Amino acid sequence: MELTGKIIQVLEPRSGVSKNSGNSWKTQEYVIETQEQYPHRMMFSIWGEDKIQQAAINAGDEVTVSFDINCREYNGRWYNDIRAWKVEHVQNGRPQSGETPAGSGPVASPFAPSDEKDDLPF
């Protein structure tokens, strides 16, 4: 799936250590707003410090986000997880693919969600 809009908020990064593997993790969440007559907002995340730095997203940037949606159950409640697997900065109404590594899908992209199980409840 793909959405183009303006980044209206960059949330505080979160990090920790996985209980299962002992590996450290970092995630950054962003809120994007479409530029339509009736704008829509969506929060998405990027996992991995290197991927966060590659994306180089700041408030006010216009980007096209390619993402996957997943859902998790925790204590009888369900939570959506929207993870970006590619981010392209938009200039003059066109995505600038030279700023992020090319990829034809989630597997080939640097923002592909890993198969590693995290220890977050959602």
Side-chain angles (χ1 to χ4, degrees):
M1 301 180 93
E2 194 173 88
L3 184 74
T4 299
K6 185 177 183 179
I7 299 296
I8 60 170
Q9 189 167 10
V10 177
L11 303 175
E12 288 295 317
R14 295 183 317 193
S15 60
V17 177
S18 173
K19 291 178 188 175
N20 297 334
S21 66
N23 295 333
S24 62
W25 56 267
K26 184 172 184 177
T27 184
Q28 179 77 55
E29 295 175 322
Y30 307 87
V31 179
I32 187 170
E33 182 176 67
T34 62
Q35 305 296 300
E36 302 167 330
Q37 180 180 358
Y38 301 106
H40 294 91
R41 294 179 179 169
M42 177 184 79
M43 183 178 73
F44 67 94
S45 62
I46 297 177
W47 282 81
E49 188 167 2
D50 57 331
K51 295 170 183 131
I52 294 167
Q53 290 176 357
Q54 272 183 326
I57 299 173
N58 297 303
D61 289 354
E62 189 170 344
V63 297
T64 297
V65 179
S66 299
F67 59 92
D68 290 322
I69 300 174
N70 200 1
C71 187
R72 298 181 186 193
E73 185 269 335
Y74 180 71
N75 288 339
R77 296 202 53 178
W78 289 87
Y79 300 89
N80 289 321
D81 183 26
I82 301 173
R83 289 194 188 183
W85 54 267
K86 183 170 81 172
V87 176
E88 295 179 299
H89 290 262
V90 176
Q91 292 180 352
N92 302 324
R94 304 183 75 189
Q96 300 298 308
S97 59
E99 293 185 25
T100 57
S104 60
V107 175
S109 172
F111 296 107
S114 69
D115 292 333
E116 180 180 315
K117 176 102 170 110
D118 61 48
D119 56 355
L120 294 177
F122 52 94

